[in-house]
Amino acid sequence: MLQASFRRIFTNQRLISLRKASSLSAARGRRAPIDVHPEVEDALATGKPVVALESTIITHGMPYPTSLEMAQSVERIVRSTGSIPATIAVIGGRIKIGLHPAELERLADQHSNPTAVKLSRRDIAAAIALKKDGGTTCCSTLIFAALAGIKVFATGGLGGVHRGGENTMDVSADLHELTRCPVGLVSAGVKSILDIRRTLEYLETLGVPVVSYAETHDFPAFYSGRSGFESPWRINDPRTAAQILHTHWQLGMSNGALFAVPIPAEYEAVGSALQEAVEQAVRESEEQNISNLGKAVTPWLLNRVGELTQGKSLASNIALVENTALVGGQIAVEYAKIAGDRHDQDQCYPVTGIRGKPDEPHSASDVASSGTTDDLKGQPLPNASLVVVGCAAVDITSQPLTDSDLGHQSTFPGKVSMSLGGVGRNIAEAAHRVLSSHSDESSAATLLVSLVGDDSFGRLLNEETRMLGMRTDGLIPVRGGRSSVCSLLLERSGGLRAGVADMDLVRNMDGHVAREFILAHKPKLLAVDGNLSPDTLKVVVSECLRNGVDVFFEPTSVIKSASILPAIAGNLDQLAWSPITFASPNLLELAHLYQQAQLLNLTSHDRWWQVLDSLGLGSKFRTDLDLLSRKEASSHDTSRGNLAFLVEKGVAQMAINLLPFFRHLVIKCGDLGVVVVMRFTGDDAADSPWSTESTNHHRRYVVSHSPTSGDTVVLQHFPAMQLPNNALVNTTGAGDSLVGALLAALVQSPKAFHSTISLQRTIDIAQHAALLSLQSPLAVSPLLSSLHGELSHQ
C-alpha cells in the first residue's frame, strides 16, 4: 500500500512539473527547429520569471535604428524587474526563444535584411520551410511562449476586429490564439486603428478574460488610457494578475488572459491628437483600398499615423511598450513566487533534438546496437564521439524549517526536492550542453552508459534525460533492480546532517556492458567515474587500450579514487605509455591515489622506475617549481595566499610520481584554481609546441625537457575565476561541470592540451562551466550551452 501511494504521489508530482515540458519535448522529438537561448533555458528550468516579447514590432513596427533601441530598452526594463526577457522570432528558418544581440540587430536592420516577414499562425510552417527570417506577431508569439511554458507576454497592442469587420470578416488571429494559449498577454489594449467595441464583444464570445490593469474599469485605446469602453474586471497590482494566471493553471484551463495597461499619464495629453491621425489614416486606407491588403494593413496604418503626427506617435508607441514590459516583468516575478511557494511551477527543460527508443531493450548488446537508430525517422544516429560510463542517480534532498526539529525521532515540516544526479550523468550532461549546437550530430555526440532500475526513479531518469536532448540508448533498465538514489538530510543552514546512498546497481555493473558500447561506437574519448567497481574498470580500460580509445578518469570521492589502480596495474607491463590518458582528482583524491599506489607497490614497479628516470627531472626543475610556488594563488584575492601548497604539501611531487599511470592530471584545487601536470613522450613530445617552450613564471608554468628520452613535463597553475559576490547557490555539480566541459573540449580538439594557447582556452572554458553551475540550483547549469561558441573557437 505504501509503495503504491508513493508511486501515485510521485507520478502526480512529475505530471505537474513536466506538463509544459512535454509539449516542447514532443516538438523537439519530432526534430522541430527550435532554439532556446541558454539564459532563458536556465530560467525555465529553475523556475525563474520569464517574459516573452514579440518581434513584429522590431521588423515591421518601427524604423531602424529606433526599432533596435526599443527592443534593447524593453529587454533592459524586463531585467530590471528580476525577470528574464525572451524575445521570440524566426531566423534562418529556426524558431528562436530568446535572442542574442546580433540576432536582434539582424531583425531590426530592415535595409540589410529587407526580406524578413510578418509571421502569424498560418505563416509559421512556410517561413520555416523556406528558411526565412520573420517577426512574430502576438498570435505566433503566444504559440511559442505557451510551447516553452512562459506564462507572461508583454507587447504594445493586441490585434482585433478591424473596422468594418462585420462585413469583411477581418479579425486578427491574435484573439483566437488567446483561447488556446495559457499565457497572460500584457498590452495597452488593442490597437486604436481597430474596432474596439466589437473586439471586446468577440473576446467575450471567445471566453477570454479582459482585465484593466488600472485605477478604473476603463479599457485603454493604445494611445489613450480611455477608449469609452470598460473591462469587466479591474486590478492594479501584479500579485493579483499572477493569481489569475495561476488559477487558470490550477483548473487546467487552456485559455490566456488580456491585461490592459493604459499608456503612461504623461503621454495621455497627446492621445486625442494622435487619435485624430488614426481616424484620418483609416479613412485613407479605405479610399485607397489599402484595407483590402490583409496583414499589410496594420503596418501601413501605423506608418501613416507616424507620418501624420510627425513622429509623435512613435514616441508614444515606445512609451507604452516599455510600460507593458515593466508591468509584464512584475507579473512574471509574482507568478514565479506563487508557483515556487506551491512547488508546482510549470518547469520546462528545452531539448536539442535526440531521442532514444521508447521501449528500451534489456541487454547491453541489444542497447548498443538498437540505440543507434532514430525511432522517429528510421535514420541511423551517428556514433558517439564521447562515451561516459558511470552513475546516473536521483538526488532527494530534505531540509527542515528549523534545526531543532532534527532532534525528534518523527517527521517534521520542511522542504523536499528531487533532481537528477550521479557523477557520470552530471559529466555527460555538462559535456552534452557544451558540445551541442543545432545539428543532430553534435546533439548525439555524447552517450551516457549506466544501469537504471525498472522503477519510478528509472523512468524519471529516462524521461528527464530525453528532455535534456540527450541520447537514452545507453540507459539500460535492469529488471528487479533499484535505481541509484542519494537521499540527503540537510540542516536549515544547508549543511549536510546525514545521508543514504544506494549505488549498488552501478557498482555491480558488468564491465562487458560498457565493452559493447566501446565496440559499437569506437569513441574518441571514454570517461569513467569512480562509482564503477575495480573489476568493471579493468574490463573498460583494457578494451579502450585495445581499441585506441583514450580514457578519462573522474575519481568521484577520496575512497573511490583508488578504484582505478587495479586497472592500471593490469596494463602497466603491456604499454610504453601511461594507461590512463586523463584524470581529474581534487587535492584530497590526489593524495589518496598516491598513497594507495604506494600500498599496492605500483611505485616499486619496474615500469614506474623507467618512466621516472626518463623524465630526467633535476635541480633546475625543482628551482623553477620553488619560484612558481611563491606566486600569489589569485590575482584578485590576496587572502588566498600563494602557491606554496605545490611544494609544502607535496602536490607537485605526488602528481609527477603518478605520471607513469596518468598522462595528464587536471587537479581541482577549489578556490586555489586548477593545476595541470602533463607528460609528453615519443611522437606526442615531438609534435607538441611544448617541446620548444621554457619555464615562464609570469604565465605560471614550469617546463622540463629530458635530454636523453626527449620527454617533456609541464606543470601549470590556472587561478580560479572570480565568483560574483553573493552568487553562490550550489556546489554539488561544479566539479562535474568542469570535467564535462573538459571532455567537450577534448572531443572537439583531441590535442587541446598540446600548446600553451589551446590549454589556456580549454581550462578557461572548464572553469567558466564550473562557475555557471556554482550559480545555479541545478547540478549542471543550463547556461553551459552558451559555452558552445567559446568551444568552436578552440
Side-chain angles (χ1 to χ4, degrees):
M1 287 292 291
L2 182 61
Q3 185 178 19
S5 297
F6 168 76
R7 284 180 175 172
R8 284 196 297 273
I9 293 170
F10 178 84
T11 301
N12 289 337
Q13 289 175 332
R14 297 317 305 160
L15 284 174
I16 288 171
S17 64
L18 302 180
R19 184 174 294 154
K20 283 300 168 191
S22 62
S23 58
L24 183 56
S25 297
R28 295 309 303 270
R30 296 187 292 269
R31 308 282 183 102
I34 303 175
D35 303 323
V36 182
H37 189 287
E39 185 183 26
V40 177
E41 182 180 358
D42 175 69
L44 292 170
T46 56
K48 297 174 187 173
V50 181
V51 177
L53 302 168
E54 62 147 299
S55 52
T56 291
I57 194 172
I58 303 172
T59 58
H60 292 77
M62 296 181 183
Y64 179 80
T66 303
S67 56
L68 177 61
E69 294 165 356
M70 177 277 305
Q72 294 168 334
S73 173
V74 166
E75 288 200 348
R76 284 194 298 271
I77 289 169
V78 170
R79 290 186 190 281
S80 74
T81 68
S83 294
I84 303 299
T87 303
I88 295 176
V90 171
I91 295 182
R94 295 193 67 86
I95 299 159
K96 303 285 183 175
I97 300 177
L99 297 180
H100 295 281
E103 293 171 330
L104 265 182
E105 186 158 2
R106 172 172 167 170
L107 287 175
D109 189 355
Q110 298 101 327
H111 297 295
S112 302
N113 188 21
T115 59
V117 295
K118 181 179 177 183
L119 298 175
S120 187
R121 171 181 279 270
R122 69 175 186 180
D123 309 298
I124 293 170
I128 290 172
L130 295 172
K131 309 295 184 186
K132 293 285 188 179
D133 286 3
T136 53
T137 63
C138 286
C139 169
S140 50
T141 304
L142 281 167
I143 293 170
F144 298 134
L147 188 71
I150 299 173
K151 283 297 183 183
V152 180
F153 164 30
T155 184
L158 179 69
V161 179
H162 281 256
R163 300 191 186 193
E166 69 276 17
N167 299 315
T168 64
M169 301 300 292
D170 191 352
V171 179
S172 171
D174 298 352
L175 304 186
H176 277 277
E177 217 56 63
L178 274 170
T179 69
R180 293 185 280 238
C181 299
V183 177
L185 190 150
V186 183
S187 78
V190 298
K191 297 180 178 72
S192 56
I193 57 177
L194 303 173
D195 187 328
I196 296 177
R197 180 177 67 84
R198 285 191 169 88
T199 298
L200 290 173
E201 289 176 352
Y202 197 48
L203 285 169
E204 180 183 359
T205 300
L206 295 174
V208 175
V210 176
V211 184
S212 286
Y213 192 98
E215 296 292 340
T216 69
H217 281 266
D218 287 305
F219 185 81
F222 204 62
Y223 296 125
S224 172
R226 295 176 176 81
S227 64
F229 303 98
E230 291 190 346
S231 302
W233 297 98
R234 180 191 69 81
I235 62 170
N236 199 26
D237 67 282
R239 182 76 176 185
T240 306
Q243 286 173 332
I244 291 171
L245 297 176
H246 190 260
T247 302
H248 280 176
W249 175 83
Q250 287 177 313
L251 298 175
M253 298 174 71
S254 61
N255 61 281
L258 172 60
F259 297 103
V261 183
I263 193 170
E266 59 267 31
Y267 291 89
E268 180 71 30
V270 298
S272 59
L274 294 177
Q275 191 58 38
E276 290 178 8
V278 169
E279 300 300 332
Q280 180 179 337
V282 171
R283 288 195 300 272
E284 291 178 4
S285 72
E286 293 171 349
E287 292 166 359
Q288 300 174 33
N289 291 321
I290 300 295
S291 57
N292 297 325
L293 294 182
K295 66 180 181 180
V297 174
T298 300
W300 186 92
L301 286 170
L302 293 176
N303 182 65
R304 182 58 179 148
V305 170
E307 292 174 348
L308 292 171
T309 61
Q310 298 179 331
K312 292 180 181 178
S313 66
L314 183 59
S316 293
N317 203 349
I318 293 171
L320 64 86
V321 172
E322 291 178 338
N323 191 44
T324 59
L326 177 65
V327 173
Q330 293 168 344
I331 294 172
V333 167
E334 292 303 318
Y335 188 92
K337 290 177 182 177
I338 294 171
D341 289 343
R342 290 166 170 78
H343 304 288
D344 58 12
Q345 62 265 38
D346 294 339
Q347 291 189 344
C348 172
Y349 298 84
V351 302
T352 48
I354 295 296
R355 289 290 177 270
K357 291 278 195 180
D359 297 315
E360 302 287 355
H362 289 247
S363 73
S365 59
D366 287 345
V367 176
S369 58
S370 69
T372 59
T373 299
D374 186 329
D375 60 304
L376 294 166
K377 289 192 174 183
Q379 298 174 350
L381 292 175
N383 284 346
S385 301
L386 168 66
V387 172
V388 180
V389 185
C391 181
V394 173
D395 291 340
I396 301 175
T397 303
S398 304
Q399 191 172 27
L401 295 180
T402 62
D403 285 341
S404 59
D405 290 331
L406 292 175
H408 304 109
Q409 294 183 345
S410 65
T411 59
F412 38 81
K415 294 182 178 179
V416 178
S417 61
M418 183 163 51
S419 61
L420 299 192
V423 172
R425 194 218 67 84
N426 291 347
I427 289 171
E429 181 188 343
H432 166 78
R433 288 191 177 280
V434 178
L435 273 174
S436 294
S437 62
H438 305 323
S439 69
D440 294 330
E441 186 170 353
S442 66
S443 296
T446 305
L447 175 65
L448 170 65
V449 177
S450 189
L451 300 182
V452 297
D454 60 346
D455 52 15
S456 297
F457 292 121
R459 290 188 286 277
L460 172 66
L461 283 163
N462 261 291
E463 179 62 22
E464 297 232 3
T465 300
R466 282 194 178 93
M467 294 168 70
L468 290 170
M470 296 172 63
R471 304 171 67 137
T472 59
D473 45 322
L475 295 179
I476 307 166
V478 177
R479 292 188 179 94
R482 299 190 313 274
S483 296
S484 297
V485 177
C486 183
S487 179
L488 303 178
L489 176 62
L490 304 183
E491 296 172 343
R492 180 69 183 89
S493 62
L496 178 64
R497 179 65 176 261
V500 175
D502 181 359
M503 302 292 173
D504 286 351
L505 191 66
V506 173
R507 190 72 175 169
N508 295 327
M509 179 191 290
D510 189 328
H512 292 88
V513 170
R515 179 179 179 273
E516 298 290 343
F517 287 95
I518 297 169
L519 295 174
H521 291 267
K522 293 184 171 53
K524 296 178 182 178
L525 185 62
L526 183 135
V528 289
D529 73 30
N531 286 301
L532 302 177
S533 70
D535 288 340
T536 299
L537 288 169
K538 281 183 187 179
V539 175
V540 172
V541 170
S542 296
E543 196 61 43
C544 285
L545 293 173
R546 277 194 293 271
N547 287 274
V549 177
D550 287 337
V551 177
F552 192 117
F553 175 62
E554 163 49 42
T556 304
S557 70
V558 172
I559 297 300
K560 296 173 182 176
S561 61
S563 59
I564 193 68
L565 294 178
I568 291 172
N571 288 283
L572 268 184
D573 289 325
Q574 305 170 32
L575 300 171
W577 59 85
S578 308
I580 307 301
T581 313
F582 304 95
S584 53
N586 61 28
L587 290 172
L588 294 175
E589 291 162 354
L590 177 77
H592 187 71
L593 268 171
Y594 179 61
Q595 293 163 4
Q596 292 301 306
Q598 289 179 310
L599 290 174
L600 292 173
N601 294 320
L602 289 178
T603 53
S604 301
H605 195 283
D606 289 344
R607 181 63 188 152
W608 182 82
W609 284 108
Q610 291 169 10
V611 172
L612 272 232
D613 288 343
S614 70
L615 300 182
L617 300 178
S619 59
K620 184 179 184 309
F621 182 82
R622 289 190 290 273
T623 300
D624 286 344
L625 183 61
D626 184 62
L627 291 172
L628 177 64
S629 71
R630 300 175 190 177
K631 289 190 69 70
E632 295 292 332
S634 170
S635 57
H636 58 265
D637 185 358
T638 56
S639 67
R640 297 180 187 179
N642 57 23
L643 300 179
F645 71 93
L646 291 175
V647 175
E648 293 175 1
K649 294 189 177 181
V651 171
Q653 178 189 355
M654 289 187 290
I656 288 166
N657 278 305
L658 289 172
L659 286 179
F661 315 133
F662 307 96
R663 265 181 276 175
H664 306 283
L665 287 164
V666 181
I667 305 166
K668 298 170 288 190
C669 305
D671 62 1
L672 296 176
V674 174
V675 174
V676 176
V677 183
M678 307 180 287
R679 168 188 170 226
F680 296 96
T681 185
D683 292 340
D684 269 355
D687 294 342
S688 171
W690 285 111
S691 64
T692 59
E693 290 284 346
S694 300
T695 295
N696 186 326
H697 291 109
H698 176 70
R699 297 182 65 182
R700 297 174 177 265
Y701 58 75
V702 174
V703 182
S704 175
H705 304 290
S706 171
T708 55
S709 67
D711 285 5
T712 296
V713 172
V714 179
L715 184 151
Q716 183 168 4
H717 173 257
F718 299 87
M721 287 185 174
Q722 187 170 9
L723 183 70
N725 291 334
N726 302 317
L728 179 62
V729 175
N730 171 29
T731 61
T732 58
D736 297 341
S737 296
L738 183 146
V739 171
L742 278 179
L743 292 171
L746 289 165
V747 167
Q748 182 87 357
S749 176
K751 293 190 175 183
F753 282 37
H754 283 226
S755 75
T756 58
I757 295 174
S758 61
L759 178 61
Q760 181 70 57
R761 287 176 179 168
T762 298
I763 301 299
D764 283 350
I765 291 171
Q767 289 210 74
H768 192 179
L771 208 66
L772 290 172
S773 290
L774 285 170
Q775 300 173 75
S776 172
L778 302 176
V780 178
S781 170
L783 287 174
L784 264 66
S785 300
S786 66
L787 300 180
H788 178 76
E790 295 181 31
L791 186 67
S792 63
H793 291 99
Q794 276 281 93

